[in-house]
């Protein structure tokens, strides 16, 4: 009787245990089945890199010789912002003022599989072989601001630099700045300097004006332009006017005048409308600068780069962006770079003097009133 009761108790106690084991088994099976079903489905993208859109995302390279100048940092910022707004990635390479390094960095961009590259060349004729390799990979190449010679570039975009020279000469003639002028330009291998000289000569030919000396500032080394200005000022023959290759060169000349010829004013000009040049203008130390629509230049370069990266031809790209180009008075022509006739887009420059600096520079947002006039007593 006691055994029977004990056995019944054991059977009764075993029932919940069996039920529990059955429930656990069912849960385990369901868990396994759920996990297998999860594995069999494609996972949701965790990041843009895993998405189909990212796999096809365009990438633009930007190669520049140096970012030491205020002007180039502005160009780059606008270019990067525009490329990103257009939905593409960008890789920037700064060559640190070295042509050799720029060639290496362009090959790096090729390895990164960019679809287009925009180049501010250190030297106009130093990139021929590298660009040939880029083009062999169907990478579009845009020469930005400085023409690249003897190379298979896709297109060239810049401000009309020959017109810059014309405006410089016309403004100096309008100011009746004498007959003996000096040109203090940038490096001789910067093709823009050739274009400035062409523009100046076009205006002064058959005029009673002559360029008595032309100095090229090697590597845009402003210590060299300063020393040359010192030599001129202490040499006994003071020029009637000085045409400078950019505003930074003009600034070095202004410093030399302040140091060695402080009680006299020599009419001079530059280009780029740098903040320091604008300050010199309102203080009467620099007569004028040539404003180049850098914002629009960088935006258009980014737009062209993205269109070419999509596989569009240069002609298709020019046609697609014709409205944007026409809106800023841009000219689309060709220029021979020694390799071929290259499609070229030029934006129009503008003279900036003390009289129109507020309208041209401040109202456009290029610089603020406070930045320009903060040094005026």
């Amino acid at each position: 009787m006691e055994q029977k009761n004990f056995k019944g108790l054991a059977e009764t106690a075993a029932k919940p245990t069996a039920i529990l084991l059955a429930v656990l088994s069912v849960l385990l099976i369901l868990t396994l089945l759920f996990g297998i079903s999860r594995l069999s489905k494609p996972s949701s993208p965790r990041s843009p890199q895993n998405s189909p859109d990212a796999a096809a995302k365009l990438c633009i390279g930007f190669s520049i010789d140096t970012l030491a100048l205020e002007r180039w940092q502005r160009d780059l910022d606008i270019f990067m912002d525009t490329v990103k707004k257009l939905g593409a990635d960008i890789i920037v390479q700064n060559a640190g003022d070295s042509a050799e390094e720029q060639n290496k960095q362009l090959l790096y961009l090729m390895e990164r599989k960019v679809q287009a590259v925009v180049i501010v060349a250190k030297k106009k004729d130093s990139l021929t072989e590298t660009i040939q390799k880029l083009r062999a990979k169907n990478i579009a190449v845009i020469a930005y601001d400085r023409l690249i010679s003897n190379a298979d570039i896709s297109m060239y975009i810049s401000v009309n630099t020959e017109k810059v020279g014309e405006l410089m000469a016309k403004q100096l003639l309008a100011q009746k700045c004498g007959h003996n002028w000096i040109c203090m330009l940038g490096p001789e291998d910067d093709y823009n300097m050739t274009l400035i000289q062409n523009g100046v000569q076009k205006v002064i030919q058959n005029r009673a004006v002559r360029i008595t000396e032309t100095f090229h500032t090697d590597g845009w080394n402003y210590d060299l332009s300063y020393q040359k200005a010192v030599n001129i000022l202490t040499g006994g023959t003071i020029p009637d006017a000085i045409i400078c290759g950019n505003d930074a060169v003009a600034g070095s000349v202004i410093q030399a005048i302040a140091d060695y010829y402080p009680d006299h004013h020599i009419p001079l000009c530059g280009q780029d409308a740098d903040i320091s040049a604008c300050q010199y203008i309102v203080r009467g130390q620099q007569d004028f600068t040539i404003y180049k629509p850098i914002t629009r230049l960088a935006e258009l370069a980014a737009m062209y780069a993205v269109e070419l990266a999509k596989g569009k031809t240069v002609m298709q790209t020019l046609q697609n962006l014709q409205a944007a180009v026409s809106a800023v008075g841009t000219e689309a022509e060709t220029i021979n770079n020694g390799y071929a006739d290259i499609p070229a887009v030029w934006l129009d420059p503008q003279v900036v003097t003390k009289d129109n600096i507020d309208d041209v520079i401040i109202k456009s947002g290029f610089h603020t009133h406070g930045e320009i006039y903060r040094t005026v007593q």
Side-chain angles (χ1 to χ4, degrees), residues 312-329:
K312 304 286 180 61
T313 66
V314 174
M315 292 309 299
Q316 287 173 329
T317 298
L318 292 173
Q319 290 171 359
N320 290 347
L321 298 177
Q322 185 58 45
V325 170
S326 300
V328 289

Side-chain angles (χ1 to χ4, degrees), residues 97-126:
D97 214 27
S98 166
E100 181 181 359
E101 185 63 24
Q102 187 164 44
N103 275 285
K104 291 179 181 177
Q105 291 179 349
L106 285 169
L107 293 176
Y108 167 75
L109 290 173
M110 182 177 72
E111 292 173 0
R112 292 292 302 271
K113 302 187 186 310
V114 298
Q115 289 91 2
V117 61
V118 175
I119 303 173
V120 182
K122 166 63 179 172
K123 291 185 177 181
K124 64 181 180 181
D125 57 356
S126 64

Side-chain angles (χ1 to χ4, degrees), residues 96-307:
D97 214 27
S98 166
E100 181 181 359
E101 185 63 24
Q102 187 164 44
N103 275 285
K104 291 179 181 177
Q105 291 179 349
L106 285 169
L107 293 176
Y108 167 75
L109 290 173
M110 182 177 72
E111 292 173 0
R112 292 292 302 271
K113 302 187 186 310
V114 298
Q115 289 91 2
V117 61
V118 175
I119 303 173
V120 182
K122 166 63 179 172
K123 291 185 177 181
K124 64 181 180 181
D125 57 356
S126 64
L127 302 174
T128 302
E129 293 182 6
T130 299
I131 289 176
Q132 185 178 4
K133 293 176 182 177
L134 291 170
R135 301 293 286 128
K137 297 286 187 180
N138 293 319
I139 298 172
V141 176
I142 299 176
Y144 182 82
D145 194 71
R146 298 173 183 164
L147 184 65
I148 301 171
S149 62
N150 302 311
D152 182 20
I153 58 176
S154 306
M155 64 179 296
Y156 168 52
I157 180 169
S158 181
V159 171
N160 189 331
T161 308
E162 186 168 310
K163 185 175 280 188
V164 169
E166 292 176 23
L167 291 175
M168 287 175 163
K170 288 178 179 178
Q171 184 65 25
L172 289 175
L173 287 173
Q175 294 180 194
K176 304 185 186 319
C177 293
H179 306 290
N180 299 312
W181 299 356
I182 284 178
C183 288
M184 300 273 289
L185 304 177
E188 197 164 5
D189 57 13
D190 184 337
Y191 188 67
N192 283 341
M193 299 303 103
T194 300
L195 292 174
I196 286 178
Q197 288 177 284
N198 291 347
V200 170
Q201 289 297 334
K202 184 184 292 187
V203 172
I204 67 172
Q205 62 182 351
N206 303 322
R207 301 288 189 115
V209 171
R210 65 192 184 101
I211 304 299
T212 59
E213 185 175 1
T214 298
F215 174 76
H216 288 279
T217 306
D218 189 38
W220 293 105
N221 184 332
Y222 305 115
D223 289 337
L224 297 178
S225 55
Y226 170 82
Q227 190 56 55
K228 180 61 178 179
V230 170
N231 294 342
I232 291 170
L233 295 171
T234 57
T237 303
I238 304 300
D240 295 319
I242 302 175
I243 293 174
C244 298
N246 68 6
D247 284 334
V249 170
S252 69
V253 175
I254 289 169
Q255 186 59 55
I257 293 171
D259 293 342
Y260 290 89
Y261 206 57
D263 298 326
H264 297 78
H265 175 73
I266 301 174
L268 61 86
C269 61
Q271 65 167 333
D272 291 338
D274 287 349
I275 184 61
S276 59
C278 292
Q279 292 168 349
Y280 286 138
I281 288 170
V282 297
R283 293 206 305 261
Q285 293 173 282
Q286 181 170 328
D287 290 66
F288 62 93
T289 185
I290 304 297
Y291 167 69
K292 302 191 291 189
I294 292 170
T295 298
R296 198 57 184 147
L297 182 69
E299 288 174 344
L300 281 174
M303 294 163 70
Y304 285 131
V306 171
E307 285 292 300

